[in-house]
Amino acid sequence: MDVSIIIVNWNSAAYVRKCLSSICCNSRGLDIEIIIVDNGSFDGCRDLVAGEFPQVIFIQNQDNPGFARANNLGAARAGGKMLLFLNPDTEVPG
């Protein structure tokens, strides 16, 4: 695994969709894994990810432990040689 991409979600499902689409379209040639950590938002992101991006690992927190702790949870699950912490409103250009 080359890169583990960790994205923390809090009520950002619409951004997450665009972010994941851009990663999937523009990461050819890299062996990546994507990990979404949801900080207790329950905004439909889990269903979105399961339905449209089943390869993405989804971690649902029951509450909001904060941005740093959520990133640490994602990093603990990651298997890549490198970690990329990405905000959900990021779109990766071609």
Side-chain angles (χ1 to χ4, degrees):
M1 183 83 50
D2 295 322
V3 181
S4 295
I5 301 171
I6 300 164
I7 301 168
V8 175
N9 176 57
W10 189 75
N11 292 321
S12 305
Y15 287 119
V16 168
R17 174 183 277 133
K18 290 180 183 179
C19 182
L20 293 177
S21 291
S22 72
I23 293 168
C24 292
C25 289
N26 297 302
S27 61
R28 290 180 185 88
L30 288 174
D31 184 18
I32 65 168
E33 72 177 345
I34 303 170
I35 302 167
I36 303 282
V37 182
D38 187 280
N39 266 352
S41 59
F42 299 99
D43 61 350
C45 193
R46 176 191 295 265
D47 293 336
L48 165 82
V49 170
E52 297 181 31
F53 306 96
Q55 73 280 17
V56 172
I57 299 162
F58 191 88
I59 301 169
Q60 178 69 62
N61 287 322
Q62 297 303 308
D63 58 0
N64 187 343
F67 185 70
R69 285 188 180 169
N71 276 309
N72 286 336
L73 282 171
R77 176 60 176 82
K81 294 176 192 169
M82 294 179 279
L83 299 177
L84 172 61
F85 297 97
L86 200 60
N87 287 333
D89 62 347
T90 304
E91 290 185 45
V92 178

